Amino acid sequence: MLQRIAAARGDLTGDGRLETVTLFGVRPAGSIAWQQITLEIEDGATHRRTRLPLPQDAGYDPQIILGHMISRAKEDVLISVDSGGSGGVGYYTVYSWQDGTYRMIFDSESFAAAFPYMVTYQDQYVVRAESPANGMVYLIDISGRDEAYLREIYDEDGRLLHDVEGFVDPISLLYPADVNRDGLLELVAWQRISGLYHADGLGDFINTLASASGGTGFELSTQTVGIFGTPRS
């Protein structure tokens, strides 16, 4: 039987009436994980209820966040669900009222497909992290890493012993913030950059997504890479 997980109220259509946004799901006895997670929106004027699917409908700690992400005249719905996996991946979905219906304007899977990454080790203790979608390249200096780690990858002259690739996780954290101070919430998405294995963290891609021109979705506003420091010897 479906159980109510969380609820919030906000003006999603811009008519001055408050819609009721509710997450429902099924939680088996003795489990903290939710299944069959469903988003339901009750119209503030007509009280008509609309149920909307989520691309990933199972996970932990589902949450609702309402805010002005696309337009100052109405609020949008951000749903977050933790995967519960060792990588700390989250599932994120945004719905917005557009042209008389609710449209999914962001989801984690579509974002991952649109923004692939390439992580390759280079000579002289450098890792190249590339974002082909926007043509950006970032170079991470790993010369301060442990000697035993470096000897697995490089010879004494700093040349690669063999080709080595790293990888980038799906979104682990996404949160809304008015980064531009313009009254609209951007979406800030973090993705871990790893080297030889998952625990071998090198840094994070940090993407900021802002309302696209025309107000139908999001576009990449800024992208940075945060790196982990090395203790001074």
Side-chain angles (χ1 to χ4, degrees):
M1 178 181 295
L2 287 177
Q3 305 172 55
R4 188 171 112 161
I5 304 172
R9 301 190 73 200
D11 182 6
L12 307 185
T13 64
D15 65 356
R17 304 288 186 91
L18 297 182
E19 277 66 52
T20 301
V21 183
T22 309
L23 282 178
F24 293 96
V26 174
R27 185 164 62 179
S31 174
I32 61 172
W34 290 92
Q35 302 173 2
Q36 301 177 38
I37 303 170
T38 303
L39 171 63
E40 181 183 276
I41 300 176
E42 181 180 337
D43 188 83
T46 66
H47 300 290
R48 182 173 68 89
R49 295 179 179 180
T50 302
R51 287 206 167 178
L52 302 165
L54 299 178
Q56 295 287 346
D57 65 352
Y60 298 81
D61 194 25
Q63 297 183 24
I64 302 170
I65 300 174
L66 305 183
H68 299 277
M69 304 174 200
I70 297 298
S71 167
R72 297 176 187 84
K74 58 184 177 64
E75 294 179 271
D76 305 296
V77 183
L78 168 62
I79 304 299
S80 69
V81 180
D82 294 338
S83 70
S86 60
V89 174
Y91 307 131
Y92 300 91
T93 310
V94 177
Y95 270 100
S96 180
W97 177 261
Q98 297 181 1
D99 300 324
T101 189
Y102 289 103
R103 300 185 184 279
M104 185 189 302
I105 60 171
F106 177 87
D107 72 275
S108 301
E109 290 184 339
S110 297
F111 176 82
F115 284 89
Y117 302 101
M118 297 172 59
V119 179
T120 54
Y121 283 67
Q122 310 287 303
D123 289 342
Q124 303 306 315
Y125 315 110
V126 169
V127 175
R128 175 188 172 103
E130 184 176 356
S131 174
N134 61 341
M136 298 300 293
V137 173
Y138 306 87
L139 301 179
I140 302 173
D141 180 359
I142 60 170
S143 60
R145 296 293 296 269
D146 180 82
E147 186 73 15
Y149 174 90
L150 295 177
R151 285 293 163 255
E152 292 183 32
I153 307 168
Y154 296 98
D155 66 15
E156 294 182 355
D157 296 320
R159 292 190 296 260
L160 284 169
L161 297 172
H162 49 80
D163 292 341
V164 181
E165 294 184 358
F167 57 95
V168 178
D169 279 350
I171 295 174
S172 59
L173 172 65
L174 181 143
Y175 58 87
D178 187 2
V179 177
N180 297 333
R181 300 296 184 183
D182 60 357
L184 292 178
L185 296 172
E186 287 76 40
L187 302 180
V188 183
W190 288 64
Q191 294 174 268
R192 173 61 52 88
I193 305 170
S194 295
L196 301 184
Y197 39 84
H198 195 268
D200 182 21
L202 302 176
D204 293 279
F205 271 103
I206 307 168
N207 294 302
T208 301
L209 308 173
S211 176
S213 57
T216 57
F218 297 97
E219 61 186 7
L220 184 65
S221 173
T222 63
Q223 182 183 76
T224 59
V225 165
I227 61 172
F228 300 133
T230 301
R232 181 181 296 177
S233 57

